[in-house]
Amino acid sequence: LSLALLAAASAAAQACSWLWLRSDPPALRPAVPAALLAALHLLQLGFLFRCLHALKVGWKVCWAKAEDEDEQRHMAFLSHDISMLRLFETFLENTPQLTLLLYITLQTNKAELSQGLGIGTAFLCVSWSLLDYHQSLRSFLQDKYKLSLGSSIIYFLWNLFLICPRILVVALFTLLWPYGVAVHFPLVWLAMFLWVSLQGTDFMESSGPEQLYRAMVAVILYFSWFNVAQGRTLYRSIIYHGFILVDSTLLALSWLWGRAPSEEHSYLLPVVSAALPCYLLGLGLRVTYYKWLHPNMQVQQEGGCDEVDANGGSDGLEFRSFSEPNLVNRRMQWLAQAQFPFSRSARQLFLNGAVES
């Protein structure tokens, strides 16, 4: 099962990487023959190649052409793709394997110190991948919209407090009904896939790859919130967290109802009892973040007006732009419109400043 998760996650990530490279503007693609790029992705080395290429561009930015703004934006372009692929890898491979490892540990009722440290570190890495993705997406915005240290800590913590109870109750449910999760996951995944499809995502270049993207996002939504549509997210977030809270509560109650009468896992009772307060604490931290610590709120407080748009107005966001208008990043445009609210006039601008034709 672990190898199957690894193979499926790697194949999906490599497919996304290859499709993204094919849709990128020629000036932003690596100077490598297409056949070689295809071979690297077939050998599951596409992500490694991206990292090495980003290191090469980063070295050029730091030493050879530190004053070149376009190179810095190119580096942000590359780093965001890497961050998003890492996010896919985290939720398609690492998070299911973490759930499996937690299940095995509870099943054997014993764990070495290294296993405990590994499980704890894995929880931190899952939350960190969400923070890294959010920070990389904000790297396309002007400096005043960057996350502060305090905002980053709260963002990290509320994701951690929301993800930990979810993974725990799934592992506990699997502990009593190992085959039950084989029914539960596809049903919830299908619901999330339909949820994403109804929101009308337009991330990939064609309908086929778009279904792959929606399927991968549905896996993320099984464990954590991930916004994919434009507009206000308040009601969608309430619906999602309400659904996950009810589903996780039912999984926990199923474990409490069906657990064996022995005291073998009696230590889990206080852990399960703390899961709901932990989840509610995560929701409270999220409300705190968006109410007081979000960078947009800080800009409004400091400037005494609404956010500024790419044209210097007062109702949008200001993006960093390439000097050449043909260098567009359609994926980042869509994600920015989904993640950050900005005006109708600002929507006429691509993420890198190019106007739609």
Side-chain angles (χ1 to χ4, degrees):
L1 181 58
S2 181
L3 290 175
L5 292 172
L6 175 64
S10 180
Q14 299 295 330
C16 277
S17 176
W18 168 244
L19 291 169
W20 294 351
L21 283 173
R22 289 185 59 186
S23 64
D24 286 343
L28 297 180
R29 297 177 191 171
V32 176
L36 179 57
L37 283 177
L40 288 172
H41 283 82
L42 285 175
L43 295 174
Q44 308 301 299
L45 296 175
F47 182 76
L48 176 61
F49 172 78
R50 278 182 174 273
C51 293
L52 294 176
H53 179 61
L55 286 174
K56 177 182 177 182
V57 176
W59 179 266
K60 184 186 298 184
V61 169
C62 291
W63 300 104
K65 296 183 179 180
E67 73 285 353
D68 193 337
E69 291 291 334
D70 277 358
E71 287 293 343
Q72 295 180 14
R73 290 168 177 79
H74 188 194
M75 185 63 211
F77 176 95
L78 296 175
S79 64
H80 183 272
D81 278 352
I82 292 174
S83 179
M84 193 163 190
L85 288 173
R86 188 185 299 115
L87 183 69
F88 286 156
E89 180 187 35
T90 297
F91 282 97
L92 270 67
E93 177 189 339
N94 299 342
T95 305
Q97 287 187 345
L98 171 59
T99 308
L100 178 61
L101 177 59
L102 191 59
Y103 158 75
I104 294 173
T105 302
L106 295 175
Q107 180 70 27
T108 58
N109 203 31
K110 65 172 99 173
E112 301 292 336
L113 178 61
S114 59
Q115 288 178 313
L117 292 175
I119 291 174
T121 303
F123 276 112
L124 296 177
C125 289
V126 172
S127 184
W128 178 264
S129 67
L130 289 166
L131 174 61
D132 178 69
Y133 163 78
H134 190 71
Q135 287 181 327
S136 69
L137 187 58
R138 282 192 168 273
S139 67
F140 287 87
L141 305 178
Q142 295 293 352
D143 292 338
K144 58 188 172 184
Y145 298 104
K146 299 298 181 60
L147 288 178
S148 64
L149 178 60
S151 299
S152 298
I153 292 174
I154 296 299
Y155 192 95
F156 174 84
L157 288 178
W158 69 254
N159 280 292
L160 180 65
F161 290 150
L162 293 180
I163 291 172
C164 286
R166 178 63 176 174
I167 295 178
L168 174 63
V169 296
V170 172
L172 290 176
F173 180 76
T174 310
L175 185 63
L176 288 183
W177 293 284
Y179 297 103
V181 75
V183 177
H184 176 264
F185 174 78
L187 290 178
V188 176
W189 175 86
L190 181 60
M192 295 302 173
F193 180 81
L194 294 175
W195 166 264
V196 175
S197 300
L198 289 174
Q199 295 181 62
T201 61
D202 188 25
F203 182 75
M204 306 292 271
E205 293 292 332
S206 57
S207 59
E210 188 68 25
Q211 301 307 314
L212 173 63
Y213 168 73
R214 293 174 179 176
M216 296 171 73
V217 170
V219 177
I220 297 178
L221 289 170
Y222 182 84
F223 296 101
S224 175
W225 165 258
F226 187 79
N227 186 37
V228 295
Q230 302 174 23
R232 291 179 59 84
T233 63
L234 177 61
Y235 298 114
R236 292 198 299 266
S237 180
I238 291 175
I239 293 173
Y240 170 81
H241 286 294
F243 176 87
I244 292 296
L245 183 59
V246 171
D247 181 69
S248 299
T249 301
L250 291 176
L251 292 180
L253 292 177
S254 299
W255 175 79
L256 289 171
W257 174 73
R259 70 188 182 93
S262 66
E263 299 298 324
E264 185 178 13
H265 296 102
S266 59
Y267 63 91
L268 287 175
L269 287 175
V271 176
V272 175
S273 301
L276 179 59
C278 180
Y279 194 88
L280 295 178
L281 176 60
L283 291 178
L285 289 176
R286 183 178 181 186
V287 172
T288 300
Y289 170 82
Y290 282 105
K291 187 70 175 178
W292 292 288
L293 298 176
H294 196 278
N296 296 348
M297 300 301 298
Q298 297 175 10
V299 170
Q300 293 178 23
Q301 294 172 2
E302 293 173 2
C305 60
D306 295 333
E307 303 165 62
V308 293
D309 63 16
N311 290 324
S314 61
D315 54 354
L317 292 180
E318 189 173 357
F319 299 112
R320 297 187 173 187
S321 60
F322 283 103
S323 58
E324 293 187 29
N326 293 327
L327 297 183
V328 298
N329 188 343
R330 184 177 176 275
R331 298 188 302 276
M332 301 305 101
Q333 176 203 14
W334 174 264
L335 290 173
Q337 292 178 354
Q339 295 291 336
F340 310 123
F342 54 101
S343 67
R344 182 175 299 178
S345 61
R347 287 175 186 172
Q348 302 302 316
L349 300 174
F350 277 106
L351 183 63
N352 58 10
V355 180
E356 288 186 281
S357 57

